[in-house]
Amino acid sequence: EILSHEMMETGKLTAVEYCDQGEMTSKTDALIIGTVQSVSVPYRYDIALGLDLSRVEVETEPDSLIIYLPSIELISDKLTVTGDAKVNDFLFPLTNKRYQDMLDAYALSCREAYMNNQTLLDEAWTSAAKTLKELFSKWIEESNNLNIRFEKLEQMEFTEKEE
């Protein structure tokens, strides 16, 4: 039974999606005793990166169309537990809250790893530019004289600050 149904326009373009699968582990140590709790959980982490199309800027020149694309941003991400957790917690029982906190912290670390990886962000930006160029090229095929060029929006903003 659906209790609510909404649609929201986002104006976003998903450029790339990544999927990681693995096993997260966590352990809690106590002074003198050693490990009092260990948890191992199989997971799948999905992340989608893309552009906010409302931030795209366009400049025209006599023979060129320059499209400034914003930085890549997080479109969506999700951490999914894919199997049973292996828990050794005889001396320090794992509560539902600690288990959820562990999952949340791991999801955040996955997100940060992607969002701080400039190589992956550049790869996503290049993919978005390629997708948009293919889209625009279909409409502009008849005009052999027009070049389409994509630049990073930050470059445009930086140039404007210099002037």
Side-chain angles (χ1 to χ4, degrees):
E1 174 179 334
I2 296 176
L3 298 178
S4 176
H5 179 78
E6 292 181 40
M7 184 206 64
M8 294 175 27
E9 292 183 12
T10 65
K12 310 277 178 157
L13 167 69
T14 299
V16 294
E17 294 179 349
Y18 296 98
C19 173
D20 296 334
Q21 294 186 48
E23 190 163 287
M24 71 178 107
T25 57
S26 175
K27 69 178 188 169
T28 304
D29 293 323
L31 196 60
I32 301 174
I33 300 173
T35 301
V36 293
Q37 180 186 86
S38 64
V39 182
S40 179
V41 182
Y43 72 92
R44 174 186 167 119
Y45 178 71
D46 295 286
I47 186 168
L49 303 174
L51 301 174
D52 179 351
L53 295 175
S54 70
R55 294 187 53 226
V56 172
E57 301 279 337
V58 178
E59 279 184 14
T60 57
E61 294 179 353
D63 64 344
S64 295
L65 182 64
I66 304 167
I67 302 171
Y68 293 94
L69 301 179
S71 298
I72 290 295
E73 62 183 53
L74 174 70
I75 301 296
S76 65
D77 71 335
K78 181 180 178 182
L79 181 76
T80 306
V81 173
T82 59
D84 294 333
K86 297 174 191 152
V87 180
N88 181 358
D89 64 349
F90 180 70
L91 296 174
F92 187 54
L94 180 65
T95 64
N96 287 338
K97 181 179 179 344
R98 270 201 306 274
Y99 181 68
Q100 189 59 53
D101 288 348
M102 180 189 80
L103 295 176
D104 292 345
Y106 198 80
L108 180 60
S109 72
C110 290
R111 179 182 307 133
E112 288 173 346
Y114 273 93
M115 298 309 294
N116 292 324
N117 185 325
Q118 194 59 49
T119 300
L120 294 177
L121 296 176
D122 289 343
E123 185 178 79
W125 190 92
T126 300
S127 177
K130 178 183 172 211
T131 299
L132 290 172
K133 185 170 187 170
E134 288 170 358
L135 175 68
F136 290 130
S137 294
K138 290 177 185 176
W139 292 324
I140 302 175
E141 268 179 7
E142 302 90 42
S143 174
N144 295 333
N145 304 356
L146 188 63
N147 295 314
I148 303 172
R149 191 171 80 225
F150 290 87
E151 301 287 340
K152 293 194 175 183
L153 184 59
E154 292 80 26
Q155 292 172 336
M156 179 185 166
E157 292 167 351
F158 182 73
T159 304
E160 288 176 353
K161 288 179 185 175
E162 289 178 344
E163 295 173 355

Coordinates of all heavy atoms in Angstrom, one line a residue, residues 4 9 13-14 19 22 28 33 45 52 55 68 83-85 89 100 102-103 106 115 124 127 132-133 135 138 150:
S4 N 2.2 7.6 0.2 CA 2.5 8.9 -0.4 C 3.3 8.7 -1.7 O 4.1 7.7 -1.8 CB 3.4 9.7 0.6 OG 3.8 10.9 0.0
E9 N 11.5 17.2 -9.7 CA 12.4 17.4 -10.8 C 13.8 17.8 -10.2 O 13.8 18.6 -9.3 CB 11.9 18.5 -11.7 CG 10.7 18.1 -12.5 CD 10.2 19.2 -13.5 OE1 10.9 20.2 -13.7 OE2 9.1 19.0 -14.0
L13 N 22.1 15.4 -14.2 CA 22.5 14.4 -15.2 C 23.5 13.4 -14.5 O 24.5 13.8 -14.0 CB 23.3 15.1 -16.3 CG 24.0 14.1 -17.3 CD1 23.0 13.3 -18.1 CD2 24.9 14.9 -18.2
T14 N 23.1 12.2 -14.4 CA 23.9 11.2 -13.9 C 25.0 10.8 -14.9 O 24.6 10.3 -16.0 CB 23.2 9.9 -13.5 OG1 22.2 10.3 -12.4 CG2 24.1 8.8 -12.9
C19 N 30.0 0.7 -8.5 CA 29.5 -0.3 -7.6 C 30.7 -1.0 -7.0 O 31.6 -1.5 -7.7 CB 28.6 -1.3 -8.3 SG 28.1 -2.7 -7.2
G22 N 32.2 -5.8 -1.1 CA 33.3 -6.2 -0.2 C 32.8 -6.6 1.1 O 31.6 -7.0 1.3
T28 N 36.2 -3.9 18.4 CA 36.3 -3.1 19.6 C 37.2 -3.7 20.5 O 37.1 -4.9 20.9 CB 34.9 -2.9 20.2 OG1 34.0 -2.3 19.2 CG2 35.0 -1.9 21.4
I33 N 42.1 -6.7 28.2 CA 41.4 -7.9 27.7 C 41.7 -8.1 26.2 O 41.7 -9.3 25.8 CB 39.9 -7.7 27.9 CG1 39.6 -7.5 29.4 CG2 39.1 -8.9 27.3 CD1 38.1 -7.2 29.7
Y45 N 28.2 -1.2 -2.2 CA 28.1 0.3 -2.2 C 27.9 0.8 -3.6 O 28.7 0.5 -4.5 CB 29.3 0.9 -1.6 CG 29.3 2.4 -1.5 CD1 28.4 3.0 -0.7 CD2 30.1 3.2 -2.4 CE1 28.3 4.4 -0.7 CE2 30.0 4.5 -2.4 CZ 29.1 5.2 -1.5 OH 29.0 6.5 -1.5
D52 N 24.7 19.2 -12.0 CA 23.5 20.0 -11.8 C 23.4 20.8 -13.1 O 24.1 21.8 -13.3 CB 23.7 20.8 -10.6 CG 22.5 21.7 -10.3 OD1 21.6 21.8 -11.2 OD2 22.4 22.3 -9.2
R55 N 23.2 24.7 -13.4 CA 24.4 25.5 -13.2 C 25.3 25.6 -14.5 O 26.3 26.2 -14.5 CB 25.3 25.0 -12.1 CG 24.6 25.1 -10.7 CD 25.4 24.7 -9.6 NE 26.7 25.4 -9.6 CZ 27.9 24.9 -9.4 NH1 28.0 23.6 -9.2 NH2 29.0 25.6 -9.4
Y68 N 30.2 25.6 -20.3 CA 30.9 25.5 -19.0 C 30.1 24.6 -18.1 O 28.9 24.9 -17.8 CB 31.1 26.9 -18.4 CG 32.0 27.7 -19.2 CD1 31.5 28.6 -20.2 CD2 33.4 27.7 -19.0 CE1 32.4 29.4 -20.9 CE2 34.3 28.5 -19.7 CZ 33.8 29.3 -20.7 OH 34.6 30.1 -21.4
G83 N 24.5 -9.9 3.0 CA 24.6 -11.2 3.6 C 24.5 -11.1 5.1 O 24.3 -10.0 5.6
D84 N 24.6 -12.2 5.8 CA 24.6 -12.2 7.2 C 25.9 -11.7 7.8 O 27.0 -12.0 7.3 CB 24.3 -13.6 7.7 CG 23.0 -14.1 7.4 OD1 22.0 -13.3 7.2 OD2 22.8 -15.4 7.2
A85 N 25.7 -10.9 8.9 CA 26.9 -10.4 9.6 C 27.5 -11.5 10.5 O 26.8 -12.3 11.0 CB 26.5 -9.2 10.5
D89 N 30.7 -11.3 19.8 CA 30.4 -10.2 20.8 C 30.1 -10.7 22.2 O 29.3 -10.2 22.9 CB 29.3 -9.3 20.3 CG 28.0 -10.0 20.2 OD1 27.9 -11.2 20.3 OD2 27.0 -9.3 20.0
Q100 N 23.9 0.0 13.4 CA 23.5 1.0 12.4 C 24.6 2.1 12.3 O 24.9 2.6 11.3 CB 22.2 1.6 12.8 CG 21.6 2.5 11.7 CD 21.4 1.8 10.4 OE1 20.8 0.7 10.3 NE2 22.0 2.3 9.3
M102 N 27.7 1.7 12.8 CA 28.9 1.2 12.0 C 28.6 1.2 10.5 O 29.4 1.6 9.7 CB 29.1 -0.3 12.5 CG 30.2 -1.0 11.7 SD 30.3 -2.7 12.1 CE 29.1 -3.3 11.0
L103 N 27.3 0.9 10.1 CA 27.0 0.9 8.7 C 27.0 2.4 8.2 O 27.5 2.6 7.1 CB 25.6 0.3 8.5 CG 25.4 -1.2 8.8 CD1 24.0 -1.6 8.6 CD2 26.3 -2.0 7.9
Y106 N 30.5 3.6 7.8 CA 31.2 3.0 6.6 C 30.7 3.6 5.3 O 31.4 3.9 4.4 CB 31.0 1.5 6.6 CG 32.0 0.8 5.7 CD1 33.3 0.5 6.2 CD2 31.6 0.4 4.4 CE1 34.2 -0.1 5.4 CE2 32.6 -0.2 3.6 CZ 33.9 -0.5 4.1 OH 34.8 -1.0 3.2
M115 N 34.3 11.1 -3.3 CA 34.2 12.6 -3.5 C 35.6 13.3 -3.3 O 35.7 14.4 -3.7 CB 33.2 13.2 -2.5 CG 31.8 12.6 -2.7 SD 31.2 12.7 -4.4 CE 31.1 14.5 -4.7
A124 N 34.3 11.3 -14.2 CA 32.8 11.5 -14.3 C 32.6 12.8 -15.1 O 31.6 12.9 -15.9 CB 32.3 11.7 -12.9
S127 N 33.0 12.1 -18.7 CA 31.9 11.3 -19.2 C 30.7 12.2 -19.5 O 30.0 12.0 -20.5 CB 31.6 10.2 -18.2 OG 30.4 9.5 -18.6
L132 N 27.0 15.0 -23.3 CA 26.4 16.2 -23.8 C 26.8 16.6 -25.2 O 26.0 17.0 -26.0 CB 26.6 17.3 -22.8 CG 25.9 17.2 -21.4 CD1 26.3 18.3 -20.5 CD2 24.4 17.3 -21.6
K133 N 28.1 16.3 -25.4 CA 28.6 16.6 -26.8 C 27.9 15.8 -27.8 O 27.5 16.2 -28.9 CB 30.1 16.4 -26.8 CG 30.7 16.9 -28.2 CD 32.2 16.9 -28.2 CE 32.7 17.5 -29.5 NZ 34.1 17.8 -29.5
L135 N 25.0 14.5 -27.6 CA 23.6 15.0 -27.7 C 23.5 16.3 -28.6 O 22.7 16.3 -29.5 CB 23.0 15.3 -26.3 CG 21.7 15.9 -26.2 CD1 20.6 14.9 -26.7 CD2 21.4 16.4 -24.8
K138 N 24.2 15.8 -32.5 CA 23.1 15.3 -33.3 C 22.3 16.5 -33.9 O 21.8 16.4 -35.0 CB 22.2 14.4 -32.4 CG 22.8 13.1 -32.1 CD 21.9 12.3 -31.2 CE 22.5 11.0 -30.7 NZ 21.7 10.3 -29.8
F150 N 33.8 22.1 -24.3 CA 33.4 22.0 -22.9 C 34.5 22.5 -22.0 O 35.7 22.1 -22.3 CB 32.9 20.6 -22.6 CG 31.7 20.2 -23.2 CD1 31.6 19.7 -24.5 CD2 30.4 20.4 -22.6 CE1 30.5 19.3 -25.1 CE2 29.3 20.1 -23.2 CZ 29.3 19.5 -24.5

